[in-house]
Amino acid sequence: MDALRPGDPARIGGHRLLGRLGAGGMGVVYLGRTEAGALAAIKVILPEYAGDEDFRTRFRRETEAARRVDSPWAVPVTGADTESETPWLATEFVPGPTLSEVVARCGPLPTRSVHVLGRLLSRALTAVHGEGLAHRDVKPGNVLLTADGPRLIDFGIARAAEATALTATGLVVGTPGFLPPEQATGAGAGAGPEGDVFSLGCLLAYAATGRPPFGSGAVDALLYRTVHDEPDLAGVDDPALRALLGECLAKDPAARPAAADLDTRIAEDVPGDGASADWLPEDVARMIAERSAAMLALPDIEATVNTSATTPAPAPARRRFLALAAGGAVALGAGTFAAVRLIGDEPDGRSGASPAGRRWVIGVHADLTGAQKAAGRAQERGVRLAVDRFNSRTDKPFTLGVKVLDDGGDPARSVRVAEEFARDRDVLAVIGPTGDAATGAALPAYDEAVLPLLTVSSLQISYPARVNAAFFQASPSYAALSMPIVNRLLLRPDVERLGVLIDRSGGQAAYQAGYATNLMTPSLTTGTTHPRVVPAGTSDLGPVIADLLGHRSDALFYAGDAAGGARAARALAATPFKGPSMAQHTAMRPEFLERAGETAEGWEFIAPFTDAGGVSGEPGVPGAAGFVTAHRKRFGAAPAAWSAEAYDVTGLVAQEVAALVVSATKGGAGRTGSPTATPSGSTPSGGTPSADGRPGRAALVAAIAASRYEGISRTYAFDEERQQLVGQDAHLYRAEGGRYRYLGPAPKPKS
C-alpha cells in the first residue's frame, strides 16, 4: 500500500482514508476506516467515467446487485454512493495476500489446497449467480487468501443478467488468460455463469501448476490459444482434479458444470469456523500471519488527516504498516534482494566529485542469480564501464554511481525491485530487467513513477498498456528478429519451404519468435512454411523432425531453449537432411554445444546482441576496441553477450542527462526541448529540475524518446508510438568447432 497523495481526499462517505491500495483504469482503491473502527477497501471512480451516464447507470445496477450477494467466501459490499459527483463503492477489507502473490512467492499449491480453494470459490460463485450476476473477472488477483478460506473480491465489472445489454458490442471484458472462449472472441456481452466456471478452471490450474493453462504474453496470442488450443495441465497429477479442470475448461459453455455442482463434486473437507490455515502450506500461512499482524501497526484515525497541499510523512507505525501491506518489504534488510550495491564507479572504486558536487545514480535491474544470470551479469558490467567512462570526463557536470538490484528472474521479486528503484529519488534511470516476465511485471511501478526504464534483452512483441511512456525497448523484438531469420533461410535458390518447430519448453520467447517467423515468411518471400508446435518437456523430437521433412521442408528453424535445440540437432543429424538449419538466439548457450556435440556443427543463430570481441573469441565489431580493452582491464575477461548493448544505453542516458543539466544551467531549451516538458499523463513536477539541478524524470523520458545515439553495437532511436527501437539490426553466428563464431551483421534484403 502507498501513502496518500496531495490530491487525494482525506475522507470518503464516513471513512477516514489511510492510504492507497492500488489504482486501475477506472478508479483508485483506498484503505479506509469508519468511526467505529471497521476497515474497508473503497473504490472511487475516476471523473471521466463518473460523467458518463451510461457508465454511471451500469455502476448503479452492479452495486445494487452486488449488495445482494451473501456468501462467507465473497467479500461483502459495506457501503456505496452511486449518485455523488465521485461515485464510490466500499467492501470489507481483507488483509490476506492475493492468490497471484502467493503463487509468485511460494510456488504452486498442493492438491488439497487447490481442492479447498475450488470448493469454497464455487460456493462464492453460486451465491453470485443466484442473484442474477456473472462476476466476469475471476482471476488470481481477485482472490484473497485467509486462514479460514479464500475470499472472492472485485465485482467492479460484474454484470447483472438483465443489464448486459448495456455492454458495448464486441468489448472483451475480463483478464486474458483467465477469460472463457466466448469472451475471447469478442462476444463478451453474452458471457454468463458458465464463463465464470471456465475462469475458475483457469484459476485452479494456475494454483496447481504456477502458470495459466493457456500461457502468457501478447494478448492476441493469449486469446487465440484460449479459443483454439487445449489447456496445458502438465503438473496436475491428481486424476480427479485433472478431470474436473478438463470439464471446467470445455470450449462449449453447455458442457461445463454449474458452480453449485462443483461444490458437491469436490470431496474435500473445508476449514471450519475459527480454523487455522492448515489447509495451506506453512510458508503461505506465514504470509497470511504477517499481513494480519500488520493490522496492529495501523495509525489512529486522527493521524491520517490530509488537509495540507503536501502529504506529511507517515508516522513510524504507519510506515511499518505500509511496508508490510505492500508485500514483504519487511524482509528488505534480510536478503530480499540477493545483490544490492551502491558504489562509486571511478575505475578505482572511489566516487569522483563533479565541479558542482552532484552525484546521481543509474540503476541496474537484473537477473544475477537465476536462469539468465550470465546475461544479467554482462549487462551490469556494461553499465559500470559506461559510468567509468562518463566519470573520467574532466568536464562532467555531475558524477554517476551505480545501484544494482537482483530479481533472480522472478516476476514477484521484480516488482519489489522496481518499487525500490522508484522510491530512490537519486536514481535517474534504470537499465533492465533481463527477462521478459520480469519486465512485464515491473512496468507498472516504473510507469507510475515516470522513471525511465531501458531494456536491452526483453524482446516481447507487446507489453501491458502504459500511461507515462517511460519504458524503452532498446533491442529488436522477436517480431523484428524474425525478418533477418526469414531473409537468411529463404532468400536462397534452394529453399522454398521453411519448417518451423516451436518448442513450448522455450516459453513465450519461443512462441512469439516461431509465430512471427511463420507469419513473416509469406510477407517477405515467395516461400511457404510448415509449422509444428510441441508441448513443453517433449524429449523425442525425431517424429516432429520427420514430419517437417516429410512436408518438403528445405530449411529448418527451431524456436525454443538450448536443451530442446540440442535434441532437434541430434534428431536432424539422424536424417539425410543437408539444408540450412537455425535456432533461436535463446538456444545459443554453452548447453546447446555441450548436449548437441558434433551435431551442433553448422547450426546458425540470429541474435540481437553483437560480438564485441568476446563471444566468439575473434575480433568483433569495428569501434569496440576501447570497450573491449576497458572490459578486460576492469573485469579480467572479454565482454560477454549483452554487455556492449548495456554499455550503449547507459551512454545514451548519460548523454541526455548531461544535455538537460547544461541546458538548465544556461537557461536554454537544449536540443531535446524544454527540460520542464512532460509526457502525457505525467505530473508537471516530474519535469522540473530539483534544487540540486537533477533533471525531472519526465523531462528525461522526453529527452530519451527524442534522442539519437551512435553506440558501438547499433544506432539507437525510438519510434514515437511504442518507443521501440527503430530498425531491425541483428547479428549472425554459427556453431563451428565447439564454439560460436561471429559472422557479422545479419543479412538484409537487397530491396
Side-chain angles (χ1 to χ4, degrees):
M1 186 178 76
D2 295 325
L4 294 174
R5 298 179 183 179
D8 288 334
R11 181 185 291 274
I12 293 175
H15 301 85
R16 178 71 71 185
L17 300 190
L18 305 177
R20 278 178 165 231
L21 290 172
M26 293 185 179
V28 180
V29 183
Y30 299 98
L31 176 64
R33 186 161 59 185
T34 67
E35 298 294 344
L39 293 172
I42 307 160
K43 177 181 288 185
V44 180
I45 303 303
L46 293 176
E48 54 264 40
Y49 292 103
D52 184 327
E53 284 305 315
D54 286 342
F55 180 90
R56 188 182 284 268
T57 299
R58 285 201 302 273
F59 182 66
R60 184 183 304 117
R61 293 188 182 182
E62 290 159 11
T63 299
E64 292 170 354
R67 281 181 178 273
R68 302 196 303 266
V69 175
D70 182 15
S71 171
W73 315 116
V75 174
V77 174
T78 58
D81 188 344
T82 60
E83 308 305 323
S84 68
E85 184 177 350
T86 54
W88 57 271
L89 172 72
T91 62
E92 177 185 306
F93 175 70
V94 178
T98 64
L99 177 61
S100 54
E101 287 181 88
V102 165
V103 172
R105 288 182 58 181
C106 305
L109 298 179
T111 299
R112 184 191 173 223
S113 299
V114 178
H115 279 151
V116 172
L117 193 65
R119 189 168 193 185
L120 297 184
L121 289 178
S122 71
R123 293 180 182 179
L125 288 176
T126 299
V128 171
H129 299 162
E131 295 299 334
L133 277 171
H135 187 285
R136 303 185 70 197
D137 199 20
V138 178
K139 62 181 180 180
N142 278 342
V143 173
L144 300 173
L145 300 185
T146 72
D148 63 351
R151 300 291 190 276
L152 182 64
I153 65 170
D154 199 353
F155 295 87
I157 61 169
R159 297 288 184 267
E162 67 273 14
T164 54
L166 294 171
T167 306
T169 302
L171 179 66
V172 176
V173 180
T175 301
F178 294 92
L179 50 74
E182 55 268 32
Q183 282 179 259
T185 56
E194 300 87 353
D196 285 345
V197 171
F198 186 95
S199 299
L200 178 61
C202 292
L203 179 148
L204 296 178
Y206 170 84
T209 66
R211 63 184 185 280
F214 297 100
S216 56
V219 171
D220 54 351
L222 264 177
L223 298 180
Y224 179 88
R225 293 197 297 272
T226 300
V227 175
H228 299 287
D229 289 2
E230 291 303 310
D232 178 8
L233 299 180
V236 182
D237 299 324
D238 181 72
L241 178 59
R242 191 181 183 96
L244 190 68
L245 293 180
E247 292 185 41
C248 291
L249 297 174
K251 304 296 185 188
D252 181 4
R256 301 169 200 155
D261 295 335
L262 293 177
D263 182 17
T264 60
R265 290 183 55 182
I266 299 176
E268 184 63 64
D269 292 335
V270 297
D273 293 339
S276 64
D278 61 355
W279 68 283
L280 291 167
E282 183 178 345
D283 51 352
V284 178
R286 190 160 49 247
M287 282 183 67
I288 293 172
E290 287 177 359
R291 297 295 175 89
S292 298
M295 305 308 297
L296 299 176
L298 275 171
D300 57 31
I301 290 177
E302 295 308 316
T304 67
V305 174
N306 181 21
T307 57
S308 65
T310 302
T311 304
R318 183 175 180 202
R319 283 198 297 269
R320 176 171 176 264
F321 170 70
L322 299 184
L324 285 166
V330 69
L332 184 60
T336 299
F337 308 118
V340 182
R341 293 187 298 282
L342 176 57
I343 66 172
D345 270 83
E346 290 297 313
D348 61 0
R350 295 192 302 270
S351 173
S354 66
R358 295 175 290 200
R359 184 176 182 277
W360 302 320
V361 175
I362 300 292
V364 180
H365 181 159
D367 176 0
L368 301 177
T369 54
Q372 293 182 274
K373 61 184 178 183
R377 184 68 65 192
Q379 291 174 32
E380 178 195 350
R381 290 179 170 184
V383 172
R384 292 191 182 282
L385 287 179
V387 168
D388 282 352
R389 181 187 179 193
F390 181 85
N391 286 342
S392 68
R393 290 172 46 180
T394 57
D395 63 340
K396 59 183 180 293
F398 52 86
T399 299
L400 285 176
V402 178
K403 179 175 181 176
V404 183
L405 296 179
D406 172 28
D407 65 23
D410 175 54
R413 202 154 128 188
S414 179
V415 173
R416 299 197 293 275
V417 167
E419 291 170 345
E420 166 65 14
F421 276 132
R423 286 191 294 266
D424 189 340
R425 299 308 302 175
D426 284 336
V427 175
L428 298 171
V430 176
I431 312 303
T434 312
D436 294 331
T439 300
L443 277 182
Y446 286 115
D447 189 63
E448 184 176 357
V450 202
L451 176 57
L453 178 70
L454 298 91
T455 181
V456 297
S457 56
S458 178
L459 312 181
Q460 286 191 170
I461 296 173
S462 63
Y463 294 87
R466 301 172 299 281
V467 175
N468 292 314
F471 172 61
F472 299 87
Q473 189 179 28
S475 199
S477 69
Y478 297 119
L481 288 176
S482 70
M483 298 180 189
I485 290 171
V486 171
N487 291 335
R488 177 66 175 177
L489 291 175
L490 282 155
L491 294 185
R492 54 178 81 194
D494 57 338
V495 175
E496 290 293 334
R497 174 167 291 191
L498 175 62
V500 181
L501 199 169
I502 303 173
D503 189 342
R504 283 288 181 87
S505 294
Q508 279 301 302
Y511 186 86
Q512 292 189 23
Y515 179 82
T517 300
N518 184 60
L519 187 67
M520 290 293 181
T521 296
S523 301
L524 300 175
T525 74
T526 58
T528 59
T529 62
H530 179 64
R532 280 293 305 271
V533 180
V534 298
T538 302
S539 58
D540 183 8
L541 294 180
V544 183
I545 294 293
D547 177 75
L548 293 173
L549 300 183
H551 283 81
R552 305 187 309 280
S553 296
D554 306 307
L556 177 70
F557 174 63
Y558 169 84
D561 59 10
R567 288 193 292 271
R570 292 197 302 270
L572 191 63
T575 73
F577 180 79
K578 300 299 181 184
S581 51
M582 179 178 286
Q584 187 181 8
H585 76 276
T586 52
M588 189 183 150
R589 296 184 179 181
E591 184 181 5
F592 174 80
L593 298 175
E594 295 165 3
R595 295 193 179 193
E598 294 181 355
T599 66
E601 195 75 9
W603 276 71
E604 293 184 346
F605 305 83
I606 296 293
F609 49 79
T610 188
D611 180 43
V615 177
S616 67
E618 298 179 356
V621 294
F627 167 72
V628 174
T629 299
H631 195 285
R632 288 185 179 277
K633 181 179 179 181
R634 178 83 187 267
F635 302 111
W642 300 114
S643 187
E645 287 73 20
Y647 176 85
D648 281 347
V649 296
T650 306
L652 185 160
V653 170
Q655 167 188 280
E656 297 307 317
V657 175
L660 288 172
V661 170
V662 170
S663 174
T665 301
K666 294 180 178 180
R671 58 181 173 76
T672 56
S674 170
T676 59
T678 60
S680 174
S682 62
T683 59
S685 62
T688 305
S690 63
D692 63 355
R694 180 182 63 242
R697 288 175 171 178
L700 182 54
V701 166
I704 293 172
S707 68
R708 181 179 177 85
Y709 184 78
E710 296 293 336
I712 60 175
S713 55
R714 59 171 49 90
T715 298
Y716 290 84
F718 302 96
D719 68 64
E720 295 181 2
E721 182 178 352
R722 302 177 67 185
Q723 299 191 194
Q724 289 181 317
L725 185 72
V726 174
Q728 292 89 39
D729 291 336
H731 302 271
L732 180 62
Y733 296 82
R734 181 185 295 143
E736 290 185 359
R739 63 185 178 88
Y740 295 112
R741 180 187 172 198
Y742 179 58
L743 301 182
K748 296 181 181 180
K750 294 181 180 179
S751 59

